[in-house]
Every structure is written in structure tokens, then in C-alpha cells.
């Protein structure tokens, strides 16, 4: 019912109720803010997405997928990378993907993730960026630069990065990686992969 109530003061009241609510109620209220497209909640939702409690951060990322703007992507990316809980990774990746899809022109949609990837040095961060990057490429097509970056990740010293890059290439929207993937299949020492 809260999602249907009109008036801008309703969003403010929901936001005011968040700190004193129990975790299950707070999670529901976060979902209501997303359903209401409460633009004024973006700042608070970004803070809540940083929560160590997955029951708070997951609905926050889901709401941010709807509410966040492209200008929020650097913070969404930072929060996604900082997340330690595997249960939060999917909604965080989806939020990055959904907000990236709001960028125009479409050819620039992968740029915020690529920028963060170029700066990354550790395997965990690279994997956290390759997942949404792969989804963005699958939805919009991959540029030669993006293809080169993902292909280079196949030679990373971290096995998880190599595996995540391989999965991204396997879902590539055109035949660009076909010869490379065939070569990997022929020479893969782990046929169970």
C-alpha cells in the first residue's frame, strides 16, 4: 500500500522510519522506496548498500538499480567491490548493469566499469568488474577496446580473473572471440572446465 500513496512527504516519512525499524521492516521499506521511484532516497540508499548486513544491502542495491543515475556509478562500483558477502554480489552487479544501461550514447555504457577496471590491481576487484562488464557487453555489444581488455585478462596471474574473463568471452554478443575460445578448448589442460 505504501507504494501507491501519493505525495512527496510519503518518501520523507519512509526515509525517517528507516533507522528505527527492525531489519525485516527496513528491508521492506527500502523496496518500497524503489517501487515509488523515490529519487530523494538515492543518497540514503547508497549508504545502506554499504551495510555489512546482506538483508539491508541487497534490497538497497535492488532499489538503486531503479533509482541511481549514471553519475552514481563510481560509488556503486566502489560499493560492489567493497562487498564481502557473496549474496550481495548479484544485486550489486545488476545495479551496475541497470544504471550503465541509462548512459547515452549506448557506445559509452561500459566506460565507467572499464575505467575502474583499468585502475584495478587485485584479482577480487577485477572479477567484481568483469561480471557486470560482461553483462553490459552482452546487452550492447563490445568495442574492440573492451574486447582487448577482457582478452588480456585471460593472461592474468589470478586464476579467478582468468575464469571470469573466459566466461565473459563465452557470452560475447558476436563471433569476435570464436577463434580464441576454440584455441582455449583445444589446449585446455582441464577438460572438465
Amino acid at each position: 500500500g505504501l507504494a501507491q500513496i501519493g505525495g512527496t512527504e510519503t518518501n520523507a516519512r519512509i526515509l525517517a522510519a528507516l533507522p528505527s525499524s527492525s531489519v525485516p521492516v527496513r528491508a521492506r521499506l527500502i523496496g518500497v522506496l524503489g517501487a515509488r521511484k523515490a529519487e530523494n532516497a538515492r543518497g540514503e540508499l547508497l549508504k545502506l548498500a554499504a551495510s555489512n548486513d546482506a538483508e539491508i544491502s541487497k534490497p538497497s542495491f535492488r532499489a538503486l538499480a531503479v533509482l541511481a543515475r549514471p553519475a552514481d556509478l563510481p560509488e556503486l562500483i566502489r560499493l560492489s567491490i567493497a562487498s564481502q558477502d557473496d549474496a550481495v554480489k548479484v544485486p550489486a552487479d545488476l545495479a551496475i548493469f541497470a544504471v550503465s544501461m541509462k548512459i547515452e550514447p549506448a557506445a559509452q555504457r561500459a566506460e565507467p566499469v572499464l575505467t575502474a577496471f583499468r585502475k584495478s590491481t587485485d584479482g577480487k576487484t577485477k572479477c567484481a568488474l568483469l561480471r557486470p562488464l560482461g553483462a553490459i557487453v552482452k546487452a550492447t555489444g563490445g568495442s574492440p577496446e573492451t574486447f582487448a581488455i577482457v582478452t588480456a585478462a585471460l593472461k592474468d596471474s589470478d586464476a579467478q580473473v582468468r575464469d571470469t574473463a573466459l566466461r565473459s568471452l563465452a557470452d560475447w554478443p558476436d563471433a569476435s572471440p570464436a577463434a580464441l575460445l576454440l584455441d582455449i578448448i583445444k589446449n585446455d589442460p582441464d577438460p572438465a572446465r
Side-chain angles (χ1 to χ4, degrees):
L2 279 175
Q4 306 301 320
I5 297 173
T8 55
E9 71 280 352
T10 305
N11 293 343
R13 288 183 179 177
I14 294 169
L15 282 167
L18 286 174
S20 61
S21 299
S22 66
V23 169
V25 172
R26 193 176 323 156
R28 296 289 299 260
L29 291 175
I30 291 167
V32 169
L33 289 168
R36 291 179 58 81
K37 296 183 175 39
E39 291 282 327
N40 61 329
R42 282 180 21 251
E44 185 62 27
L45 290 171
L46 284 166
K47 291 177 191 169
L48 291 169
S51 172
N52 290 329
D53 188 339
E55 297 311 310
I56 298 300
S57 57
K58 287 190 305 185
S60 298
F61 276 115
R62 285 190 207 103
L64 285 164
V66 175
L67 299 173
R69 298 177 184 160
D72 298 319
L73 273 168
E75 182 63 8
L76 276 175
I77 290 168
R78 187 192 70 74
L79 291 169
S80 174
I81 291 168
S83 174
Q84 299 295 316
D85 192 329
D86 287 344
V88 177
K89 289 179 183 175
V90 171
D93 289 352
L94 289 174
I96 293 169
F97 169 77
V99 177
S100 295
M101 291 297 103
K102 298 174 186 178
I103 295 174
E104 292 297 338
Q108 296 297 311
R109 290 180 177 164
E111 195 52 41
V113 179
L114 285 172
T115 298
F117 189 84
R118 286 183 204 105
K119 295 176 184 176
S120 63
T121 56
D122 66 286
K124 178 183 173 284
T125 300
K126 290 177 182 179
C127 288
L129 295 167
L130 281 169
R131 289 189 310 268
L133 179 61
I136 294 165
V137 166
K138 188 174 181 180
T140 62
S143 68
E145 178 190 12
T146 306
F147 181 69
I149 287 172
V150 176
T151 302
L154 288 173
K155 296 177 180 152
D156 196 273
S157 60
D158 187 308
Q160 275 300 114
V161 173
R162 292 192 306 270
D163 187 60
T164 307
L166 181 61
R167 290 174 191 278
S168 292
L169 290 170
D171 279 342
W172 209 259
D174 60 34
S176 299
L180 179 61
L181 292 171
L182 283 172
D183 188 52
I184 291 169
I185 290 169
K186 288 179 187 175
N187 298 311
D188 191 346
D190 181 9
R193 196 161 52 148

